[in-house]
Amino acid sequence: MFIKNEIENSNNNLVLPLLDQKLNITYKDYFNIAFSKEYVSDRNDYLILGIYRLIYWAYTMDRSHTITALQYDIKKLQEANKVMQIVQYRIQQATDKEGNYLFITWQRPWQVKVLKEINQKKNRNLEIYSDEELLYHSNMSFQVISSNMIFTIQETLRYLGEEGTNLSVQTIKNILVFL
């Protein structure tokens, strides 16, 4: 509820509990918590607020008199483009200390179970799953939303005469942005 109000009102004042004692909080602080391998209560809230703060920062939403996209900072938008691609990848791949996904976005229940079996070094037998379970389409809602966000940032960059970089999976794996 509080995050929704923050976004609807284009504010940047909400601070979640694990950061309430810190000054100069950035989107990176939220991402560090969201992707922590440790247990985090309300992990999704930190992810959402991290993405919101990234967009707020990149588009300088605190400046009320932005009339045209030409007033945006290209370097901030380029960073936002790269960070959103990394976030999109990490949401799909990040796991905790036990090998459990931090965010269940595209995985089906049987896929999560197979991953747990692999992490526990158990033999996995796909024959125990019905054809319906194995062929059931994954939920790609977040992938679509985050892809639209990346597309919008890249279109803003194109409008400014710049090209948005598309990072390869290997590049994303090698980048440590959230330290």
Coordinates of all heavy atoms in Angstrom, one line a residue, residues 30-84:
Y30 N 18.7 -1.0 -2.2 CA 17.6 -1.8 -2.2 C 17.9 -3.1 -3.0 O 17.4 -4.2 -2.6 CB 16.4 -1.1 -2.9 CG 15.7 -0.1 -1.9 CD1 16.1 1.2 -1.9 CD2 14.8 -0.6 -1.0 CE1 15.5 2.1 -1.0 CE2 14.2 0.3 0.0 CZ 14.6 1.6 -0.1 OH 14.0 2.5 0.9
F31 N 18.6 -3.0 -4.1 CA 18.9 -4.2 -4.8 C 19.8 -5.2 -4.0 O 19.7 -6.4 -4.1 CB 19.6 -3.9 -6.2 CG 18.6 -3.3 -7.2 CD1 19.0 -2.4 -8.1 CD2 17.3 -3.8 -7.2 CE1 18.2 -1.9 -9.0 CE2 16.4 -3.3 -8.2 CZ 16.9 -2.3 -9.1
N32 N 20.8 -4.6 -3.3 CA 21.6 -5.4 -2.4 C 20.8 -6.3 -1.4 O 21.1 -7.4 -1.2 CB 22.7 -4.6 -1.6 CG 23.8 -4.2 -2.5 OD1 24.2 -4.9 -3.4 ND2 24.3 -3.0 -2.2
I33 N 19.8 -5.7 -0.9 CA 18.9 -6.4 0.0 C 18.0 -7.4 -0.7 O 17.9 -8.6 -0.3 CB 18.1 -5.4 0.9 CG1 19.0 -4.6 1.8 CG2 17.0 -6.2 1.7 CD1 18.3 -3.5 2.6
A34 N 17.4 -7.0 -1.8 CA 16.6 -7.8 -2.6 C 17.3 -9.1 -3.1 O 16.7 -10.2 -3.1 CB 16.0 -7.1 -3.8
F35 N 18.5 -9.0 -3.4 CA 19.2 -10.1 -4.0 C 20.2 -10.8 -3.0 O 21.0 -11.6 -3.3 CB 20.0 -9.7 -5.2 CG 19.1 -9.4 -6.4 CD1 19.0 -8.1 -6.8 CD2 18.4 -10.3 -7.0 CE1 18.2 -7.7 -7.9 CE2 17.6 -10.0 -8.1 CZ 17.5 -8.7 -8.5
S36 N 20.0 -10.4 -1.7 CA 20.8 -11.0 -0.7 C 20.5 -12.5 -0.6 O 19.4 -13.0 -0.7 CB 20.6 -10.4 0.7 OG 21.1 -11.1 1.7
K37 N 21.5 -13.3 -0.3 CA 21.3 -14.8 -0.2 C 20.8 -15.1 1.2 O 20.3 -16.2 1.5 CB 22.6 -15.5 -0.4 CG 23.1 -15.5 -1.8 CD 24.1 -16.6 -2.1 CE 24.4 -16.7 -3.6 NZ 23.4 -17.5 -4.3
E38 N 20.8 -14.1 2.1 CA 20.2 -14.3 3.5 C 18.7 -14.1 3.4 O 18.2 -13.6 2.5 CB 20.8 -13.2 4.4 CG 22.3 -13.1 4.5 CD 22.9 -14.4 5.1 OE1 22.3 -15.0 6.0 OE2 24.0 -14.8 4.6
Y39 N 18.0 -14.6 4.4 CA 16.6 -14.4 4.5 C 16.3 -12.9 4.6 O 16.9 -12.2 5.5 CB 16.0 -15.2 5.7 CG 14.6 -14.8 5.9 CD1 13.6 -15.4 5.1 CD2 14.2 -13.9 6.9 CE1 12.2 -15.1 5.3 CE2 12.9 -13.6 7.1 CZ 11.9 -14.2 6.3 OH 10.6 -13.8 6.5
V40 N 15.3 -12.5 3.8 CA 14.9 -11.1 3.9 C 13.3 -11.1 3.9 O 12.7 -11.6 3.0 CB 15.3 -10.3 2.7 CG1 14.7 -8.9 2.7 CG2 16.9 -10.2 2.6
S41 N 12.8 -10.5 5.0 CA 11.3 -10.4 5.0 C 10.9 -9.4 4.0 O 11.5 -8.3 3.8 CB 10.9 -10.0 6.4 OG 9.5 -9.8 6.5
D42 N 9.8 -9.7 3.3 CA 9.3 -8.7 2.3 C 10.3 -8.4 1.2 O 10.4 -7.3 0.8 CB 8.7 -7.5 2.9 CG 7.6 -7.8 4.0 OD1 6.8 -8.6 3.7 OD2 7.7 -7.1 5.0
R43 N 11.0 -9.4 0.7 CA 12.0 -9.2 -0.3 C 11.5 -8.5 -1.5 O 12.2 -7.7 -2.1 CB 12.6 -10.6 -0.7 CG 13.7 -10.6 -1.7 CD 14.2 -12.0 -2.0 NE 14.7 -12.8 -0.9 CZ 15.9 -12.7 -0.4 NH1 16.8 -11.9 -0.9 NH2 16.2 -13.5 0.6
N44 N 10.3 -8.9 -2.0 CA 9.7 -8.3 -3.1 C 9.6 -6.7 -3.0 O 9.7 -6.0 -4.0 CB 8.3 -8.8 -3.5 CG 8.4 -10.3 -3.9 OD1 9.5 -10.8 -4.3 ND2 7.3 -11.0 -3.9
D45 N 9.3 -6.3 -1.8 CA 9.2 -4.8 -1.6 C 10.5 -4.1 -1.9 O 10.5 -3.0 -2.5 CB 8.7 -4.5 -0.2 CG 7.3 -4.9 0.1 OD1 6.6 -5.3 -0.9 OD2 6.9 -4.9 1.3
Y46 N 11.6 -4.7 -1.5 CA 12.9 -4.1 -1.7 C 13.2 -4.1 -3.2 O 13.8 -3.2 -3.7 CB 14.0 -4.9 -0.9 CG 13.9 -4.6 0.6 CD1 13.1 -5.4 1.4 CD2 14.5 -3.5 1.1 CE1 13.0 -5.1 2.7 CE2 14.4 -3.3 2.5 CZ 13.6 -4.1 3.3 OH 13.5 -3.8 4.6
L47 N 12.8 -5.2 -3.9 CA 13.0 -5.2 -5.3 C 12.2 -4.2 -6.0 O 12.7 -3.4 -6.9 CB 12.6 -6.6 -5.9 CG 12.7 -6.8 -7.4 CD1 14.2 -6.6 -7.9 CD2 12.1 -8.1 -7.8
I48 N 10.9 -4.1 -5.7 CA 10.1 -3.1 -6.3 C 10.6 -1.7 -6.1 O 10.7 -0.8 -7.0 CB 8.6 -3.2 -5.8 CG1 8.0 -4.5 -6.4 CG2 7.8 -2.1 -6.3 CD1 6.8 -5.0 -5.7
L49 N 10.9 -1.4 -4.8 CA 11.4 0.0 -4.5 C 12.8 0.2 -5.2 O 13.0 1.4 -5.6 CB 11.4 0.2 -3.0 CG 11.2 1.6 -2.5 CD1 10.0 2.2 -3.2 CD2 11.0 1.6 -1.0
G50 N 13.6 -0.8 -5.3 CA 14.9 -0.6 -6.0 C 14.7 -0.2 -7.5 O 15.3 0.7 -8.0
I51 N 13.7 -0.9 -8.1 CA 13.4 -0.6 -9.5 C 12.8 0.8 -9.6 O 13.2 1.6 -10.5 CB 12.5 -1.7 -10.1 CG1 13.2 -3.0 -10.3 CG2 11.9 -1.2 -11.5 CD1 12.3 -4.2 -10.7
Y52 N 11.9 1.1 -8.7 CA 11.3 2.4 -8.7 C 12.4 3.5 -8.5 O 12.4 4.5 -9.3 CB 10.2 2.6 -7.7 CG 9.7 3.9 -7.6 CD1 8.9 4.5 -8.6 CD2 9.9 4.7 -6.5 CE1 8.4 5.8 -8.5 CE2 9.4 6.0 -6.4 CZ 8.6 6.5 -7.4 OH 8.1 7.8 -7.3
R53 N 13.2 3.3 -7.6 CA 14.3 4.4 -7.3 C 15.3 4.5 -8.5 O 15.8 5.6 -8.7 CB 15.0 4.1 -6.0 CG 14.2 4.4 -4.8 CD 15.0 4.4 -3.6 NE 14.1 4.9 -2.5 CZ 14.5 5.8 -1.6 NH1 15.7 6.4 -1.7 NH2 13.7 6.2 -0.6
L54 N 15.5 3.4 -9.2 CA 16.4 3.4 -10.4 C 15.7 4.3 -11.4 O 16.4 5.2 -12.0 CB 16.6 2.0 -10.9 CG 17.3 1.9 -12.2 CD1 18.8 2.4 -12.1 CD2 17.3 0.5 -12.8
I55 N 14.5 4.1 -11.7 CA 13.7 4.8 -12.7 C 13.6 6.3 -12.3 O 13.8 7.2 -13.1 CB 12.3 4.2 -13.0 CG1 12.5 2.8 -13.5 CG2 11.5 5.1 -13.9 CD1 13.2 2.6 -14.8
Y56 N 13.3 6.5 -11.0 CA 13.2 7.9 -10.5 C 14.5 8.6 -10.6 O 14.5 9.8 -11.1 CB 12.8 7.8 -9.0 CG 12.4 9.1 -8.3 CD1 11.0 9.4 -8.3 CD2 13.3 10.0 -7.8 CE1 10.6 10.6 -7.7 CE2 12.9 11.1 -7.2 CZ 11.5 11.4 -7.1 OH 11.1 12.6 -6.6
W57 N 15.6 8.0 -10.4 CA 16.9 8.6 -10.5 C 17.3 8.8 -12.0 O 17.7 9.9 -12.3 CB 17.9 7.6 -9.8 CG 19.4 8.0 -10.1 CD1 20.1 9.0 -9.5 CD2 20.2 7.4 -11.0 NE1 21.4 9.0 -10.0 CE2 21.5 8.0 -10.9 CE3 20.1 6.3 -11.9 CZ2 22.6 7.7 -11.7 CZ3 21.2 6.0 -12.7 CH2 22.4 6.7 -12.6
A58 N 17.1 7.8 -12.8 CA 17.5 7.9 -14.2 C 16.7 9.0 -15.0 O 17.2 9.7 -15.8 CB 17.3 6.6 -14.9
Y59 N 15.4 9.1 -14.7 CA 14.6 10.1 -15.3 C 14.4 11.4 -14.6 O 13.6 12.2 -14.9 CB 13.2 9.5 -15.6 CG 13.2 8.6 -16.8 CD1 13.4 7.2 -16.7 CD2 13.1 9.1 -18.1 CE1 13.4 6.4 -17.8 CE2 13.1 8.2 -19.2 CZ 13.2 6.9 -19.0 OH 13.3 6.1 -20.1
T60 N 15.2 11.5 -13.5 CA 15.2 12.8 -12.7 C 13.8 13.2 -12.4 O 13.4 14.4 -12.7 CB 16.0 13.9 -13.4 OG1 17.2 13.3 -14.0 CG2 16.5 14.9 -12.4
M61 N 13.0 12.3 -11.8 CA 11.6 12.6 -11.6 C 11.4 13.6 -10.5 O 10.3 14.2 -10.3 CB 10.9 11.3 -11.2 CG 10.8 10.4 -12.4 SD 10.2 8.7 -12.1 CE 8.6 9.1 -11.3
D62 N 12.5 13.9 -9.7 CA 12.3 15.0 -8.7 C 12.3 16.4 -9.3 O 12.0 17.3 -8.6 CB 13.4 14.9 -7.6 CG 14.8 14.9 -8.2 OD1 15.0 14.7 -9.4 OD2 15.8 15.1 -7.4
R63 N 12.7 16.5 -10.5 CA 12.7 17.8 -11.2 C 11.4 17.9 -11.9 O 11.1 17.2 -12.9 CB 13.9 17.8 -12.3 CG 14.1 19.1 -12.8 CD 15.4 19.2 -13.7 NE 15.2 18.2 -14.8 CZ 16.2 17.9 -15.6 NH1 17.4 18.4 -15.4 NH2 16.0 17.0 -16.6
S64 N 10.6 18.8 -11.5 CA 9.2 18.9 -12.0 C 9.1 19.7 -13.3 O 8.1 19.7 -13.9 CB 8.3 19.6 -10.9 OG 8.8 20.9 -10.7
H65 N 10.2 20.3 -13.8 CA 10.1 21.1 -15.0 C 10.8 20.5 -16.2 O 11.4 21.2 -17.0 CB 10.6 22.5 -14.7 CG 9.9 23.2 -13.7 ND1 8.6 23.6 -13.8 CD2 10.2 23.6 -12.4 CE1 8.1 24.2 -12.7 NE2 9.1 24.2 -11.9
T66 N 10.8 19.1 -16.3 CA 11.4 18.5 -17.4 C 10.3 18.5 -18.6 O 9.3 17.9 -18.5 CB 11.7 17.0 -17.2 OG1 12.6 17.0 -16.0 CG2 12.4 16.4 -18.3
I67 N 10.6 19.3 -19.6 CA 9.6 19.5 -20.6 C 9.8 18.5 -21.8 O 8.9 18.1 -22.4 CB 9.7 21.0 -21.2 CG1 9.4 22.0 -20.0 CG2 8.8 21.2 -22.4 CD1 9.6 23.4 -20.3
T68 N 11.1 18.2 -22.0 CA 11.4 17.3 -23.2 C 12.4 16.3 -22.7 O 13.2 16.5 -21.8 CB 11.9 18.1 -24.3 OG1 12.3 17.3 -25.4 CG2 13.1 19.0 -24.0
A69 N 12.5 15.2 -23.5 CA 13.5 14.1 -23.2 C 14.9 14.6 -23.3 O 15.8 14.0 -22.8 CB 13.2 12.9 -24.1
L70 N 15.1 15.7 -24.1 CA 16.4 16.3 -24.3 C 17.1 16.7 -23.0 O 18.3 16.9 -22.9 CB 16.4 17.4 -25.3 CG 16.0 17.0 -26.7 CD1 15.8 18.2 -27.6 CD2 17.0 16.0 -27.3
Q71 N 16.3 16.9 -21.9 CA 16.8 17.3 -20.7 C 17.3 16.2 -19.8 O 17.8 16.4 -18.7 CB 15.8 18.2 -19.9 CG 15.4 19.5 -20.6 CD 14.3 20.2 -19.9 OE1 13.2 19.7 -19.8 NE2 14.7 21.4 -19.4
Y72 N 17.1 14.9 -20.2 CA 17.5 13.8 -19.4 C 19.0 13.6 -19.5 O 19.7 13.9 -20.5 CB 16.9 12.5 -19.9 CG 15.4 12.5 -19.7 CD1 14.5 12.0 -20.7 CD2 14.8 12.9 -18.5 CE1 13.1 12.0 -20.5 CE2 13.4 12.9 -18.3 CZ 12.6 12.5 -19.3 OH 11.3 12.4 -19.1
D73 N 19.6 13.0 -18.5 CA 21.0 12.7 -18.4 C 21.3 11.4 -19.1 O 20.9 10.3 -18.6 CB 21.5 12.7 -17.0 CG 23.0 12.5 -16.8 OD1 23.6 11.9 -17.7 OD2 23.5 12.9 -15.7
I74 N 22.0 11.4 -20.2 CA 22.3 10.2 -21.0 C 23.0 9.2 -20.2 O 22.7 8.0 -20.3 CB 23.0 10.6 -22.3 CG1 22.1 11.4 -23.2 CG2 23.5 9.3 -23.0 CD1 22.8 12.0 -24.4
K75 N 24.0 9.6 -19.4 CA 24.7 8.6 -18.6 C 23.9 7.9 -17.6 O 24.0 6.7 -17.4 CB 25.9 9.3 -18.0 CG 27.0 9.7 -18.9 CD 28.2 10.3 -18.3 CE 29.2 10.7 -19.4 NZ 30.4 11.3 -18.9
K76 N 23.0 8.6 -17.0 CA 22.0 7.9 -16.1 C 21.1 6.9 -16.8 O 20.9 5.8 -16.3 CB 21.2 9.0 -15.3 CG 21.9 9.8 -14.3 CD 20.9 10.7 -13.6 CE 21.6 11.5 -12.5 NZ 20.6 12.4 -11.8
L77 N 20.6 7.3 -17.9 CA 19.8 6.4 -18.7 C 20.5 5.2 -19.2 O 20.0 4.1 -19.2 CB 19.1 7.2 -19.9 CG 18.1 8.2 -19.5 CD1 17.7 9.1 -20.7 CD2 16.8 7.5 -19.0
Q78 N 21.8 5.4 -19.6 CA 22.6 4.2 -20.0 C 22.8 3.3 -18.9 O 22.7 2.1 -19.0 CB 23.9 4.7 -20.6 CG 23.8 5.3 -22.0 CD 25.0 5.9 -22.5 OE1 25.9 6.4 -21.7 NE2 25.2 6.0 -23.8
E79 N 23.1 3.8 -17.7 CA 23.3 3.0 -16.5 C 22.0 2.3 -16.2 O 22.0 1.1 -15.9 CB 23.7 3.8 -15.3 CG 24.0 2.9 -14.1 CD 24.6 3.7 -12.9 OE1 25.2 4.7 -13.1 OE2 24.4 3.2 -11.8
A80 N 20.8 3.0 -16.2 CA 19.5 2.4 -15.9 C 19.3 1.2 -16.9 O 18.7 0.2 -16.5 CB 18.4 3.4 -16.0
N81 N 19.6 1.4 -18.1 CA 19.4 0.4 -19.2 C 20.2 -0.9 -18.8 O 19.6 -2.0 -18.8 CB 19.8 0.9 -20.5 CG 19.8 -0.1 -21.6 OD1 18.8 -0.8 -21.8 ND2 20.9 -0.3 -22.4
K82 N 21.4 -0.7 -18.4 CA 22.3 -1.9 -18.1 C 21.8 -2.5 -16.8 O 21.7 -3.8 -16.7 CB 23.7 -1.5 -18.0 CG 24.4 -1.1 -19.3 CD 25.8 -0.6 -19.1 CE 26.3 -0.1 -20.4 NZ 27.6 0.6 -20.3
V83 N 21.5 -1.7 -15.8 CA 21.1 -2.2 -14.5 C 19.7 -3.0 -14.6 O 19.6 -4.1 -14.1 CB 20.9 -1.1 -13.4 CG1 20.3 -1.6 -12.2 CG2 22.3 -0.6 -13.1
M84 N 18.8 -2.5 -15.4 CA 17.5 -3.2 -15.6 C 17.7 -4.6 -16.3 O 17.1 -5.5 -16.0 CB 16.5 -2.4 -16.4 CG 15.7 -1.4 -15.6 SD 14.8 -2.2 -14.2 CE 13.8 -3.4 -15.0

